[in-house]
Amino acid sequence: MSASPRLVEVRQKVLKRNDLLARELRQRFQAAGVYVVSLVSSPGSGKTALLEKTLSLVRPNARVAALVGDLATDNDAVRLRRSMALVRQITTGTVCHLDAEMVEKALADWNLADLDLLFIENVGNLVCPSSYDLGENLRAVLMSVTEGEDKPLKYPTIFNTADLAIITKADLAQAVEFDWDAARQNINAVRPGMEVIALSSKTGEGMDRWTEWLLDAARRPFRCK
Amino acid sequence: MHELSIALSIIEGVEEEIARRPGARVTAVHLNVGPLSGVVKDALLFSYGLACEGTSLEGSRLKIEEIPIVLYCPVCRQERSAHSMQRLCCTVCDTPSAEIRRGSELEVSALELSSVGADL
């Protein structure tokens, strides 16, 4: 009987299972020709409002669907269904983020080939979703002008893992004396070179650029992470 | 806080690994954690203890090594350290870079095993 411990080298990613599943999902999306965009932000930044507006704006030009994650209620799905797009709620219970398995289950009976664009609205949380790859092609992080310009500095990881930053509620910028330059600088400091789109889902300001950008991205060849 | 989910994933992965080594008992798990992994060390240490209860890893220790951020600097044309997570710039020439080479790690690097008689 040996009592001395021995060290065994292992190289194992902790989220290996999620990463593998996300890779499989990405391959399925690619094969079906559907472009997948996930939205992350803190609660109340306007993910659902942006999605509501986006779904109705792009529906004439693209076949769109959305998965929406929340801890509880299907309020968001009910709101989004008004756009007539295919919508499914993922209720996570106490889990603070979506993972690849939840996405896979939620998509089970959907024919992905019938879609051009799929949105995944994550649970409102700027911390936990950053670690979980969902197989998306693009991760957009939202921050609203009412949250303050330093949001990226407080939550650098989620901004760092995103591909696009969207500043929402632009119509309120003046009222809260939002400093656009500081916000852009902060985003650039935590994720150098990331594109920033400013918009208001309420007034429609900036929505053109966002929807053009989306439709253009959906037409481009797939980028594999 | 998703550190409990992370702790459960660590245990799942380690149990798979030791299933191939009959008679081995895990006394410690070595984990590499980068600041860009989004994981908080103290929260993970706390969750790990809870998550291990009732598993074969109960009583084991989690040894976390924090991995600093390394980015590729396009101006220096080599890997450099970064000022901070809030300022992803080369510490030598101050050029911003989004090309992260290290610092996102969340991986088990080694296991400390004690044998209960059998071959490991």
Side-chain angles (χ1 to χ4, degrees):
Chain A
M1 267 243 215
S2 140
S4 59
R6 50 175 276 192
L7 194 68
V8 180
E9 225 178 282
V10 205
R11 282 244 161 240
Q12 193 184 72
K13 285 193 169 187
V14 171
L15 296 175
K16 182 182 67 173
R17 229 181 77 186
N18 187 77
D19 290 348
L20 286 174
L21 199 51
R23 196 180 308 158
E24 281 172 31
L25 278 173
R26 193 168 283 115
Q27 284 163 356
R28 269 177 67 194
F29 295 147
Q30 182 172 7
V34 55
Y35 191 81
V36 183
V37 178
S38 75
L39 302 178
V40 289
S41 79
S42 48
S45 295
K47 290 182 298 299
T48 311
L50 174 64
L51 209 43
E52 213 171 1
K53 194 86 172 184
T54 307
L55 291 177
S56 30
L57 285 173
V58 301
R59 234 174 61 84
N61 303 308
R63 298 167 299 171
V64 287
L67 297 177
V68 276
D70 267 308
L71 297 182
T73 83
D74 65 346
N75 293 353
D76 286 0
V78 171
R79 265 172 79 182
L80 294 174
R81 279 195 196 106
R82 289 186 213 133
S83 69
M84 305 304 286
L86 192 59
V87 177
R88 179 165 289 161
Q89 181 82 45
I90 304 176
T91 310
T92 62
T94 55
V95 181
C96 49
H97 57 271
L98 294 181
D99 63 28
E101 197 179 341
M102 296 179 201
V103 171
E104 193 202 29
K105 278 190 186 150
L107 292 172
D109 58 348
W110 281 6
N111 184 5
L112 294 174
D114 289 343
L115 299 175
D116 299 311
L117 260 173
L118 169 67
F119 293 94
I120 304 173
E121 180 185 331
N122 215 316
V123 177
N125 183 334
L126 275 179
V127 182
C128 311
S130 62
S131 307
Y132 295 86
D133 186 357
L134 304 179
E136 70 268 62
N137 298 98
L138 179 117
R139 183 181 283 184
V141 59
L142 278 65
M143 63 180 267
S144 58
V145 296
T146 53
E147 291 168 73
E149 301 83 4
D150 60 351
K151 211 86 207 231
L153 303 182
K154 289 179 178 165
Y155 300 93
T157 308
I158 194 95
F159 279 84
N160 187 266
T161 61
D163 306 290
L164 172 74
I166 301 177
I167 302 178
T168 59
K169 308 188 189 179
D171 53 303
L172 298 176
Q174 218 175 355
V176 296
E177 296 177 349
F178 187 70
D179 184 339
W180 289 99
D181 288 340
R184 286 175 197 275
Q185 267 169 28
N186 292 339
I187 292 170
N188 201 55
V190 297
R191 177 69 162 87
M194 178 155 65
E195 195 165 343
V196 181
I197 293 180
L199 52 78
S200 161
S201 308
K202 190 176 173 189
T203 65
E205 169 194 350
M207 287 299 295
D208 287 1
R209 187 164 160 235
W210 158 239
T211 53
E212 273 165 31
W213 196 93
L214 264 181
L215 293 172
D216 189 46
R219 275 182 226 113
R220 275 198 300 262
F222 280 96
R223 178 174 66 91
C224 274
K225 286 190 180 180
Chain B
M1 172 166 142
H2 64 311
E3 278 74 7
L4 188 58
S5 308
I6 301 285
L8 292 168
S9 298
I10 294 172
I11 294 166
E12 187 186 283
V14 171
E15 283 192 324
E16 262 173 42
E17 186 64 39
I18 55 164
R20 288 186 271 131
R21 300 166 191 274
R25 198 176 72 82
V26 179
T27 53
V29 174
H30 293 228
L31 189 75
N32 289 338
V33 176
L36 292 168
S37 67
V39 170
V40 179
K41 185 181 171 182
D42 289 341
L44 182 57
L45 288 170
F46 174 74
S47 305
Y48 182 78
L50 285 178
C52 282
E53 279 177 24
T55 75
S56 61
L57 273 77
E58 188 164 345
S60 67
R61 290 169 61 205
L62 184 64
K63 296 184 175 175
I64 295 182
E65 186 179 349
E66 292 173 89
I67 308 292
I69 298 176
V70 173
L71 42 79
Y72 178 78
C73 173
V75 174
C76 302
R77 294 186 173 206
Q78 55 178 296
E79 290 185 355
R80 297 286 198 199
S81 54
H83 281 294
S84 70
M85 244 199 313
Q86 281 77 15
R87 197 167 146 226
L88 289 177
C89 297
C90 168
T91 43
V92 175
C93 71
D94 221 28
T95 304
S97 170
E99 211 179 317
I100 313 278
R101 293 283 168 89
R102 295 189 75 191
S104 317
E105 290 83 355
L106 181 57
E107 59 185 24
V108 174
S109 62
L111 301 176
E112 283 177 34
L113 303 178
S114 68
S115 59
V116 193
D119 288 341
L120 291 188

